[in-house]
Structure formats: structure tokens, C-alpha cells
Amino acid sequence: MKIGVVRFPGSSCEVDCLEAWRLVGEDPVMIWHQETSVKGFDLIVLPGGFSYGNYLRPGSIARYSPIMEDVIRFAKSGGLVWGISNGFQILTECGLLPGAFLRNVGLRYICAPQYLRVENSDLPFTNQYEKGRLIQIPISHGEGNYTIDDEGLKRLQDNNQIVFRYVNTDTSGNPNGSRDNIAGIVNKEGNVLGMMPHPERAVEEIIGGVDGKEMFLSVLKHWEGRSQGGA
Amino acid sequence: MEPKIWRDMGLSDDEYQRIEKLMGREPNFLEVGIFSVMWSEHCSYKTSKPVLKKFPTEGPQVLQGPGENAGIVDIGDDLAVAFKMESHNHPSAVEPYQGAATGVGGILRDVFTMGARPVAVLNSLRFGPLTEENNKYLLDGVVSGISGYGNSIGIPTVGGDVYFHSSYNGNPLVNAMAIGLLEHKDIAKGVATGVGNPVMVVGAKTGRDGIHGATFASVELSEEAQPPAVQAGDPFMEKLLMEACLELIQSGAVVGIQDMGAAGLTSSSSEMASRGNSGIEMELSLVPCRETGMTPYEIMLSESQERMLIVPQAGREKEVEEVFARWGLEATVVGRVTDDGMLRLLEKGRLVAEIPVKALTDEAPVYHRPSQEPDYYQKLKNTKLENIELKDSAENVLLALISSPTIASKEWIYRQYDYQVGTNTVVAPGGDAAVLRVRGTSKAIAMTTDCNSRYVYLDPYIGGILAVVEAAQNIVCVGAKPLAITDCLNFGNPERPEIFWQFEQACAGVAEACRALNTPVTGGNVSLYNETLGQAVYPTPMIGMIGLLKDLDQVLKNQITSEGEQLYLVGEREGELAGSEYLSRFEQLEAGSLPEPDLKEIQKRLDFILEGNKQGLLLAAHDISEGGLAVCLAEMTINCGAEINIESGNQLKVLFGERLGRIIVTAPKEKSAALETLAREYDIPLTHLGSSKGKNLKIKVAGQECLDVPLSQYRPLYESAIRDIMES
Amino acid sequence: MLKARVKVTLKKSILDPQGSAAEKALKSMQYPVESVRIGKFMEVVLNEDDKDKAEKIMHEICQKLLSNPVIEDYSFELEG
């Protein structure tokens, strides 16, 4: 599978994403934000970090990086796009996903382990989980408070676009005030995923857990199925 | 020249005379300004130099000792670790967010300047008690600043330490340590050599911020002190600068590179020329400025952040420009290296300053300050503590101690730090030391910061030893071998003989312990004049230590994870009340005579733990520090209770007495015998305390049941104490 | 050259975490405060002298970058 991880100025999780893909046997490529084409790629990852310092609004400037025009085209033609944390913020800023982000309700940055419930396991990104499973994936953000209007929320709910919700197993629950406890969503077509938690930080026991690894395996599984299907 | 001019810049009349003599003429305003910052304590170490000379700085592991932007130690396989600690106390007292943020920015530049990619930041913080609103405000601001800068640049903040004590009212300590990884071949240095090589300013534009910051850092805080414009940090700019510098260093085009920290262009240019035994000539009108009409004086003394000075090989300027342009940054040639040993400054071709470089760096005055034992020393040392008894039930004391902010969990603080980015953090904040794996190897590096300043106040020599011992214990408790230290020496006004005495004594203690434990000093920072309205902070020689784990799989936890683990105490059963948290909290007394630690014995105990771990006999280890054995056990049993039986001893001293060199370890039952045998081989005291069991911490001392607390009671207190104060 | 003074505010329907915090603090300080909303203020200097053109450019800039229409409203004033 040809996987590209976009590096914007100020990205900081791009190498972590590369390493996570290597761990499952892939050979991903870093794409500099000034490039203009994602031709030939099967998956584009928009990593976490502070693109352009997150100045103005997180993701607002990165969204106009040269590479994004082609990423948007790629997504609209059905290509797999996976935005993590700052990548999710970029995806809402450029309109590939609905909603927007506000500062966490507590007004503080939060880096902590977090429980999520897998709400949709029929996706290229989640087919290795059972629906309803609780997984632990860390969050690390200051502006992860997902907001969307009533209509938009209803559409997400009706179309089964909510992929992960924050849940409470001991203390945490909804850490940032996100509407409807939303931690991750997909577009209607299911090929563009945005999530605030960091699955690339949950792929090895030694760094604190492996619950995120199935996401990477899910994408590979989906890809195998597709290739064998001759698509 | 009017004396008022040099006096306002912080120079004494004698110092001004010395400048005239060195120059052989009357210096102009700009030249006096340059001398004043270069001869400030912050840049010249004029007071501390004679004392610092006594530190051991050599060892086979040391690749770069003091004198560069950061120290470097070898970790094998052609890899090395660069690290350094620095204070940002005064700026943080004035503007906590920016003060702390720029502190992190500055220390990171020191590390990547050496060619190392920063992999972690630690912060050692001291504030007045959180019962005062201003201290809450400072803690909140400082933590936000560290979080804002560190998270944004994408380098994990993985640990540090935080204490609260009234001596820090109005003068908090904010010490930041950065750690970087590099290959031996990429070591870069701050030297200007090669006549004709260009001198380039790269990164942010120069503005009027922070002019005379280095001088400000060297005077006491008072109500009248006029702080300079506080520098504002731009972590995004710094990240770009870091990537560009590392890329450039790897290209081999760099002769020398240095951060523009305190005293900005002045110190970076003169220090680089001094190390290279060369001169530097610069045309100041070429320096990219953020504001219009900046004078040469302002350009030379600006402390605008996120700038570096680079000397590349002549002919490779274009390459430098291209690398920086790729990261959206400017790189501008502003001068060249000369061979006449002068710092020569021009403004549109007109000579505006000409100073022998060595006069700025090597000829700074050195002061042998008078030193005198303070009155309090003998008095506190001779305070009788024999009649002190446990004031309350052991349970109540334990609960009070673990919910006091100095001891309680620092989770409220570190959950604001991205401690995971880079996905190498094996032991996150909350462990005895932080541990980061070194990708591509089986190794890991351990890092910690420590200093109990109450001990140092009571006995600066012993306290200095103990700061190093505690750091070494923390490194060993995660299974790593101590390698070397950096320090940040925070003291009051050294012109007062009793403060200088504290400084001398504490440094002697640090030196002694570093020699005994084989952890040379590779650099650091001195922060003097930490006083508010004549009150000095407790002497605080902060120690930042690095350790190496050869095998990542051998990392030790500091908590019990399952029932049936056997708990052992390495070291004496009883601690002392002198300088203890108990005494301070329950008797409102900070006094007593600290026993002089036996460093050979402590080294033996540390070696025993490393060997026991290597042989696979250990599951967890945690050192006994503030609050004593009971607090240590409570911290270890957050997830699983324990039943402890200590056969003899004074209840108060066993439970809450403090004495460094004591560590609690746990072993699986089937390894107990082997561990006991090993202790006999090492000839160290090892006491079986009991085993992990149930959901309570139960402690019996000398046959008497003295404590039985459910962890459901103490865990929430421990975990939420600081949050409850800060978010109430 | 024309200068635009831009105000970006959160839409009324959007909860404002910063504003709520400031509001709570002011109320606890006993000020007669009803509510606080926090927004952004920006100054944009345009290389354009024609007011009509400038206005058109400013609307475009505000919609594309300076505000996020999903959660924010904007307004601006032009001065010479």
C-alpha cells in the first residue's frame, strides 16, 4: 500500500505516524506540504501537531498549503484520508468534514490516556474492532472541543458518521466538552476520517498500549480486500 | 562619561576603570553597554567562577564538558546525549507565561545548537505556597507557558520536579532542562574560525525586546526594579529554526553555530570569536530588524528570541540561505571572521565600536567574595529534636502529607504537557525518573531533576551532596546507570557573605557527590540574586541527571502492580526528623542536624539495585524522600495494597523520618532468596518489609499496628490535591 | 493604502469557553456583569486605494481565512 504522511511546517506527529506504519510492515513516505500532487498514493495521513503554530485557528493556514488542493481532490474522488488531531482540525477547516473546534472547556491543554467507544466498525479504518468495544487511546490537544449545529449533528447521527465517542470508565469521560462526546467522525462516503485521539501513540506496549494498532491493520485489511476485488 | 551611565547599566566604578584600562581609551556608550552585559554575572560568572572550578568535569563518558552551549555524554554505538539546564526565574516572576515559555525555547536552542535533536524537556519549578493567590497565578502561568511552548514545538515534556515553600514567595524558580540525541560526527560547536568566513544571522528578526535582560537577571527583584520588555516566544518560529539548523549542521557547511540567548548578538559573537581565538566584524545595518530606527546599541543588546548566529564555510552562504528559505526563514550575512581578535561593529560603514574580544570574555573581573557562616546555621543544627513525638494518628499524618502539594501527584501539571509526542516515552511523568527509548537500539536514557532545598538551607554542604544522591537514586530506581549531571545553581545575593557561604558549601557538596558517584558536571547555569525585598530563596542547586539503560526491557516501575510482590527496604529502618516534611508541617520547624551521608555505602546500595535488576530479581523500586517511608509506600501502593511489618524502631522515625540512601524495592516471591543472598554479597542492609496484598496499606511497627488505610481513601487525596487547589 | 479593522466573534449559538471563564471570574469579583463573549480583533493594511475593491477583497479574506464561517461571524471597517 502506498501511504503518504503530509508534513506541514509545525507538524509534530508525522514521524510517529511513519513509525506506526513501519511497525505493521509498510513503507510510508513523507510528503512536503509544498508538493502539489498526491498521485499514486492509496492513503493520505494528515498528522498531529501545530501546523503554522496553530496561529489564527488550528488548521486554518495549513488548509491552504499547496498540497491540500490535491488532497481535497483525492478525497472527493474516494481516496482514503485520515486526519489525526491537528489533521482532523485541518479537515474541518477545508470542509472535507463538518463542524469546527473550540478550546477545551477547561481552557487547558490535556495530554492523558482516554477511553473511546468504537461506534462504527464498518469502515476502512475500523473493521478490525467490534462495534461497541472500549479502547484506550491517548489524547493530546488544547482545542479539541468539537462543535456542530443541530442539523449537522443529526446528519452525523443518522448517517452513522460518528466513529468514536469519549467514554467514562473511571474518571475521564468527555475531556474537552465536545458535542455528543464526539472523538472522531467520517464523511458520508466513509473514506475521510478525522479523530482527535492519537492512535499512533497506542501501537506498542512499551509506550503505553496497543489499542490503536487495529486501526492500521484495518486500513491494510480494507486495502487487501479492495486490491483482490480488482478495484 | 557620566558615572550614572555605567552605574545604570549595572557596572561598578572599579569595573568601569578596568574597561578604560583594557581599552586604553574612554569607551563610547555602545561599548560600555556591551561590556556591561558581557560582564554581568549571567554571562561572565564573575562571582561563581572560582567556586565552579572545583566541579569534577571529566570522565570517559564526557564528550563535551562545561564551556559550550550544552554538555555531551557518550552512550555508545556512536551515539551521544546533549543536555543542559538553565534558569528563567526573573522573567517568570514578572510574566510567568512568557518567562517560562522563553526559558524552554532558550534551553532547546542550546541543545540543537550542538547538533543534537531535542528529544525531551524537564522542568524544575519552585513556588511559594499555594495558599496565596499570587503563587497560584504564577504556577498556572508558568505551567501554561511550558505547555504552550513545549507542546507547540513538538518535543515532549517528560518530567521534572515541583516544590512549594515560602522562601520562594515573589521569586519563583523556573529551571528548564533539555535533552537531545546526536551522532558523534554531528557535534557542532560555538566557534568562529577561518578568516574571511561569513557571519550570518538566522531566524527571527531583531526587535527591541529584552534589552539588558542579562543584567536584569543579575539584580535583586525589588518594587522599583524596572524590568526590561519581556521577550515573547514564538515556538513555531523555533521549530522551523530547529529543523533548518539540524539540516544545515548535517550538511557539513557549518564551522560554528551559537544561540543568541542572554545578551543576544553581543554574547554570541564575542563568545564564538573568543573560542575560535579570532575576531568578528559586523555591519549592523545588515541585521534584519523588526522595528524601524533601531540603534546599534539596541541591535547588539536585543534579546529577541529564536535567533542564531552561524559561521558557515566561505562560499557556502547560498546553501545556508537555501536551507533556511525552505523552512521559510531568513539567513543574512552580517559580517565576517577576522584574525585580529577584535569585535568590530560598523553602522553603514562607520565604525561604532571596537573591543578586544578577550577583554569581553576572559578579562571580566573575577570576584572572590567574602564568605561567612550565617548565624542561623549553628542554631538550627543544634536544635534538639529528641522530644518530638507523633502529633496525630499515623493515618492522619500520612493523609495530610500525601495531600500536601509538594508530595501530592503532579498530574494536574503534567497532563498539560504533551509528554508522549515522539512516541519514545517509556516512563512518563510520575515515575522516579523519565525514560525515553533510543530508537534503533535496545537502549534507553533516563533523566531527572532534583533538589530538596530545605536540606541545603539547613546544611548547604550536606544538602548539596543529597541533591546529587537523590538524582542518582531516581535514575537507579528506573533501572538506569547514572552518567553525568548538569546543574542550575539558584541562590540569593552573593555579595552577602552568608549567601556566598551557602553557595560555596553547596557547590562543594555537589562536587563531592559527583566525584563519589562518578557523575561529572558537564555544564549548567548560575542564577544569583534570587531575592525579593531582601529575602533570599532557600539555596537551590538544582541537579539534572542523565542515566543510561543498556536494555530497555529492564526498565523498572515505581509502583506495585500485583499481589504477592515482596517488599524490601534497602538501607536504614529509621530516618531523621531533621529537615523532614513532618517537622515542617506538624511542628512548623525547619531545623536539625542532617547526618553526613556515606557516599561509598550509597554507591554500594545503588550498585546492588542495578545488579539485582540486571539479574531479573526486581519488579519495582522507589526511593524514600520527602515524607519518609510511609509516603513512599503509599505512592507505591496506589493500585494494590500491602501489609508491612517492621520489627523494631521508633514509630515516628520509621514512618516519617527522612534519610537519603534508602530505597524500597519489590521482588517476586520466587526471587526473594536470591535477592537476600545478593544483599549479603554486597554487604548492604536489606530488610524484608512484607508483601503486596488487598486494598489497604497496613503498617505495623515494633509489634504495634499503627496504620491501616484503604487505598480508596488516600489515592483520591494524592491525585487531586493540586487540582482541587488550582481549580477551586 | 487602506486599513481594515476586522472583528471576528463566535456566533451567538456557539458556547464560548474563554468568555464563560472570564464571565465567571468577573461575577465572582462582584462586578455587575451579565455576560462576556471573547473574539478577535485584527488590522489588515491593504495595498489598494479603491474602497469598493477593498471591501470585496476584505469579504473574501474574512470568509476564506480570518474567520471560520461554521462558528464565527465577522465585520470590518475600512479607513483611509
Side-chain angles (χ1 to χ4, degrees):
Chain A
M1 190 169 181
K2 194 162 177 208
I3 297 156
V5 178
V6 179
R7 173 184 245 189
F8 299 96
S11 293
S12 38
C13 305
E14 69 277 32
V15 175
D16 301 357
C17 287
L18 295 178
E19 293 289 354
W21 278 113
R22 285 178 192 137
L23 209 72
V24 294
E26 292 301 304
D27 187 17
V29 177
M30 192 98 89
I31 304 173
W32 183 232
H33 75 116
Q34 279 176 335
E35 289 174 35
T36 50
S37 166
V38 294
K39 200 162 176 243
F41 283 97
D42 304 317
L43 166 74
I44 296 298
V45 178
L46 305 182
F50 285 66
S51 58
Y52 293 91
N54 275 356
Y55 296 147
L56 195 58
R57 294 179 310 280
S60 62
I61 305 178
R63 169 251 180 284
Y64 288 105
S65 268
I67 193 69
M68 283 307 293
E69 203 175 312
D70 205 46
V71 171
I72 293 168
R73 180 205 56 77
F74 176 75
K76 286 188 172 158
S77 67
L80 293 180
V81 176
W82 183 4
I84 299 168
S85 203
N86 195 219
F88 187 7
Q89 293 163 334
I90 295 170
L91 289 174
T92 60
E93 280 287 340
C94 71
L96 281 175
L97 290 174
F101 289 91
L102 299 169
R103 286 188 63 184
N104 295 348
V105 275
L107 299 179
R108 294 179 203 286
Y109 195 96
I110 306 170
C111 176
Q114 174 68 47
Y115 278 98
L116 310 176
R117 188 171 53 228
V118 180
E119 304 285 17
N120 181 345
S121 58
D122 282 335
L123 295 165
F125 308 95
T126 55
N127 59 53
Q128 294 298 294
Y129 297 106
E130 317 81 73
K131 182 170 163 18
R133 189 176 139 191
L134 296 193
I135 55 176
Q136 200 184 38
I137 294 187
I139 54 165
S140 187
H141 57 247
E143 302 187 54
N145 181 353
Y146 180 76
T147 185
I148 188 165
D149 58 19
D150 294 345
E151 256 173 67
L153 179 63
K154 189 159 184 306
R155 270 199 297 273
L156 288 181
Q157 290 164 339
D158 292 349
N159 297 331
N160 202 15
Q161 284 174 253
I162 299 169
V163 186
F164 299 111
R165 277 197 179 90
Y166 299 116
V167 288
N168 193 346
T169 61
D170 52 3
T171 55
S172 25
N174 184 335
N176 53 27
S178 286
R179 185 123 201 234
D180 199 23
N181 300 323
I182 286 173
I185 56 171
V186 276
N187 62 349
K188 210 172 155 196
E189 295 72 26
N191 62 312
V192 177
L193 169 74
M195 61 191 295
M196 285 314 288
H198 286 270
E200 80 282 9
R201 299 185 182 185
V203 292
E204 288 173 274
E205 284 298 349
I206 190 88
I207 54 164
V210 291
D211 284 2
K213 199 169 175 178
E214 277 107 324
M215 290 199 74
F216 296 83
L217 297 174
S218 294
V219 174
L220 291 180
K221 182 83 186 172
H222 166 83
W223 189 252
E224 268 166 35
R226 246 187 75 144
S227 327
Q228 276 160 17
Chain B
M1 181 173 284
E2 286 292 314
K4 190 175 181 314
I5 295 177
W6 66 74
R7 286 179 196 160
D8 281 356
M9 291 181 187
L11 288 167
S12 71
D13 293 356
D14 286 347
E15 286 170 340
Y16 177 76
Q17 302 304 332
R18 191 181 170 92
I19 292 168
E20 271 204 352
K21 214 173 132 204
L22 284 164
M23 296 282 288
R25 62 175 165 86
E26 186 179 320
N28 63 31
F29 182 81
L30 172 60
E31 289 166 340
V32 175
I34 288 173
F35 270 103
S36 78
V37 292
M38 289 306 293
W39 286 11
S40 72
E41 183 62 40
H42 196 89
C43 293
S44 73
Y45 298 94
K46 60 189 169 190
T47 302
S48 49
K49 221 183 237 172
V51 177
L52 301 180
K53 270 191 187 146
K54 293 173 184 154
F55 283 149
T57 58
E58 286 171 6
Q61 70 272 46
V62 178
L63 298 177
Q64 175 64 57
E68 265 290 346
N69 288 296
I72 301 181
V73 290
D74 188 12
I75 59 164
D77 295 333
D78 237 16
L79 292 171
V81 172
F83 67 113
K84 169 97 176 277
M85 177 149 58
E86 198 163 78
S87 65
H88 239 217
N89 304 339
H90 286 184
S92 303
V94 177
E95 215 302 292
Y97 184 97
Q98 290 299 346
T102 52
V104 172
I107 198 65
L108 286 169
R109 286 196 297 283
D110 279 339
V111 163
F112 70 71
T113 301
M114 301 301 293
R117 175 168 285 277
V119 294
V121 173
L122 291 88
N123 293 280
S124 202
L125 311 176
R126 300 292 183 272
F127 299 96
L130 292 181
T131 44
E132 286 187 31
E133 284 302 316
N134 188 50
N135 295 327
K136 284 165 70 174
Y137 159 77
L138 289 171
L139 172 66
D140 199 11
V142 164
V143 170
S144 304
I146 292 167
S147 155
Y149 204 103
N151 297 353
S152 182
I153 195 170
I155 293 161
T157 299
V158 297
D161 63 327
V162 189
Y163 282 68
F164 302 91
H165 189 274
S166 55
S167 84
Y168 302 110
N169 272 330
N171 198 130
L173 302 185
V174 176
N175 294 179
M177 174 173 168
I179 294 98
L181 267 176
L182 73 167
E183 289 180 40
H184 288 190
K185 68 170 173 55
D186 290 330
I187 294 179
K189 296 197 175 174
V191 291
T193 51
V195 176
N197 278 339
V199 174
M200 301 181 83
V201 170
V202 305
K205 286 187 165 66
T206 298
R208 287 196 173 92
D209 36 2
I211 291 173
H212 269 296
T215 318
F216 177 61
S218 307
V219 295
E220 283 173 40
L221 287 181
S222 71
E223 278 166 354
E224 308 92 68
Q226 288 293 315
V230 173
Q231 314 95 300
D234 180 352
F236 175 54
M237 169 68 85
E238 172 125 328
K239 186 169 173 87
L240 303 176
L241 187 62
M242 174 177 85
E243 295 297 347
C245 287
L246 291 174
E247 194 177 318
L248 188 70
I249 288 168
Q250 287 186 350
S251 77
V254 173
V255 174
I257 174 167
Q258 175 143 341
D259 165 37
M260 286 196 221
L265 191 51
T266 296
S267 66
S268 51
S269 58
S270 43
E271 284 172 12
M272 285 180 82
S274 176
R275 290 195 201 103
N277 291 313
S278 61
I280 281 184
E281 181 178 296
M282 292 188 288
E283 170 54 67
L284 297 179
S285 62
L286 297 174
V287 176
C289 290
R290 200 174 63 221
E291 300 171 68
T292 51
M294 284 185 67
T295 63
Y297 179 86
E298 290 170 327
I299 292 170
M300 285 306 288
L301 271 67
S302 161
E303 293 194 357
S304 292
Q305 299 285 301
E306 291 95 20
R307 301 178 300 157
M308 311 280 273
L309 197 65
I310 295 180
V311 174
Q313 291 163 7
R316 296 182 78 169
E317 296 87 337
K318 207 111 214 105
E319 223 177 294
V320 179
E321 281 165 24
E322 278 165 14
V323 168
F324 280 83
R326 190 152 50 246
W327 291 97
L329 298 174
E330 280 186 75
T332 314
V333 175
V334 298
R336 60 188 185 91
V337 179
T338 65
D339 60 358
D340 62 5
M342 300 300 269
L343 178 67
R344 186 175 303 107
L345 306 175
L346 309 169
E347 190 196 27
K348 300 200 177 97
R350 186 173 61 94
L351 184 70
V352 290
E354 192 173 35
I355 310 174
V357 165
K358 295 286 181 189
L360 292 170
T361 54
D362 296 7
E363 295 295 336
V366 174
Y367 295 118
H368 297 269
R369 298 274 186 205
S371 148
Q372 192 193 339
E373 189 181 289
D375 295 338
Y376 77 78
Y377 176 63
Q378 292 296 339
K379 198 179 122 222
L380 295 182
K381 197 175 167 133
N382 295 322
T383 306
K384 292 276 170 282
L385 305 175
E386 282 79 31
N387 298 326
I388 287 175
E389 286 173 8
L390 199 53
K391 265 238 159 120
D392 199 342
S393 72
E395 290 181 6
N396 287 345
V397 171
L398 176 65
L399 296 178
L401 288 176
I402 60 164
S403 55
S404 74
T406 293
I407 291 175
S409 164
K410 306 301 182 291
E411 191 191 342
W412 182 85
I413 295 171
Y414 65 70
R415 68 185 260 129
Q416 297 184 50
Y417 302 154
D418 187 346
Y419 52 83
Q420 297 174 318
V421 61
T423 53
N424 290 317
T425 310
V426 176
V427 177
D432 278 31
V435 177
L436 266 87
R437 71 165 156 200
V438 180
R439 266 194 203 274
T441 74
S442 61
K443 293 173 191 180
I445 39 181
M447 51 202 80
T448 182
T449 63
D450 292 284
C451 178
N452 180 327
S453 65
R454 190 187 291 142
Y455 297 162
V456 188
Y457 177 72
L458 290 178
D459 193 321
Y461 176 73
I462 292 178
I465 292 179
L466 293 178
V468 179
V469 167
E470 184 168 5
Q473 286 180 181
N474 282 325
I475 295 286
V476 167
C477 281
V478 295
K481 186 177 163 47
L483 273 186
I485 73 156
T486 174
D487 59 52
C488 195
L489 308 167
N490 307 273
F491 289 80
N493 178 351
E495 294 159 36
R496 296 200 290 153
E498 58 281 15
I499 298 287
F500 194 69
W501 179 83
Q502 290 178 337
F503 180 63
E504 264 182 343
Q505 293 285 313
C507 289
V510 168
E512 176 64 25
C514 285
R515 258 190 297 274
L517 302 176
N518 189 24
T519 52
V521 180
T522 61
N525 165 240
V526 179
S527 172
L528 302 175
Y529 301 92
N530 287 290
E531 306 206 348
T532 317
L533 309 172
Q535 279 297 316
V537 298
Y538 268 11
T540 315
M542 222 78 89
I543 303 300
M545 189 178 282
I546 295 288
L548 178 65
L549 258 136
K550 287 222 168 102
D551 186 353
L552 185 54
D553 294 336
Q554 290 197 324
V555 62
L556 278 172
K557 292 185 287 281
N558 67 351
Q559 287 177 349
I560 290 164
T561 39
S562 59
E563 297 213 347
E565 291 184 30
Q566 300 302 303
L567 282 82
Y568 286 89
L569 168 67
V570 177
E572 298 81 1
R573 281 181 206 180
E574 286 186 355
E576 299 295 325
L577 292 180
S580 66
E581 200 68 30
Y582 176 84
L583 198 64
S584 169
R585 174 135 185 158
F586 289 90
E587 300 285 341
Q588 285 74 48
L589 193 58
E590 307 205 327
S593 169
L594 301 173
E596 180 153 356
D598 177 347
L599 286 165
K600 278 215 174 85
E601 170 67 22
I602 289 172
Q603 176 74 69
K604 223 160 54 171
R605 293 177 192 173
L606 298 181
D607 287 344
F608 160 75
I609 290 167
L610 289 176
E611 180 61 28
N613 186 40
K614 197 169 149 196
Q615 293 184 12
L617 307 179
L618 301 181
L619 293 168
H622 187 25
D623 75 319
I624 299 178
S625 57
E626 292 79 22
L629 178 126
V631 165
C632 179
L633 284 167
E635 289 170 345
M636 292 183 84
T637 55
I638 288 292
N639 297 309
C640 175
E643 288 184 9
I644 305 297
N645 185 3
I646 294 160
E647 282 164 14
S648 62
N650 167 294
Q651 203 187 108
L652 174 57
K653 286 181 147 189
V654 167
L655 293 177
F656 304 111
E658 297 177 17
R659 183 191 186 107
L660 288 192
R662 304 192 305 152
I663 293 169
I664 295 179
V665 298
T666 78
K669 189 147 184 75
E670 67 276 14
K671 308 276 177 158
S672 293
L675 190 69
E676 288 169 20
T677 309
L678 189 69
R680 279 192 294 277
E681 271 172 42
Y682 273 76
D683 187 27
I684 57 118
L686 183 75
T687 310
H688 185 243
L689 295 176
S691 56
S692 56
K693 191 179 180 189
K695 293 281 172 202
N696 283 30
L697 174 60
K698 296 184 189 179
I699 307 181
K700 235 191 223 177
V701 178
Q704 199 194 338
E705 186 99 40
C706 48
L707 203 149
D708 183 354
V709 220
L711 61 93
S712 62
Q713 189 179 358
Y714 60 83
R715 180 175 171 159
L717 284 177
Y718 176 75
E719 288 179 344
S720 70
I722 293 182
R723 185 180 67 223
D724 290 347
I725 295 170
M726 293 303 292
E727 296 190 354
S728 64
Chain C
M1 280 203 286
L2 284 167
K3 186 192 266 183
R5 298 168 171 274
V6 185
K7 273 193 279 185
V8 176
T9 50
L10 280 175
K11 283 187 197 296
K12 293 227 161 50
S13 57
I14 303 285
L15 179 80
D16 171 12
Q18 279 172 285
S20 308
E23 181 183 313
K24 219 175 99 193
L26 288 170
K27 281 179 175 163
S28 77
M29 289 154 80
Q30 311 282 318
Y31 286 106
V33 167
E34 176 57 32
S35 69
V36 179
R37 304 282 291 172
I38 292 181
K40 295 174 193 156
F41 174 74
M42 308 160 200
E43 283 185 348
V44 180
V45 180
L46 292 172
N47 284 321
E48 175 61 65
D49 296 320
D50 182 316
K51 262 204 158 170
D52 289 343
K53 279 188 190 159
E55 195 148 317
K56 196 164 159 264
I57 294 168
M58 281 313 299
H59 277 296
E60 210 174 307
I61 286 177
C62 287
Q63 283 161 15
K64 268 182 120 171
L65 186 68
L66 297 184
S67 80
N68 179 347
V70 176
I71 45 170
E72 291 167 328
D73 293 322
Y74 69 87
S75 63
F76 61 84
E77 287 163 22
L78 281 171
E79 58 183 65

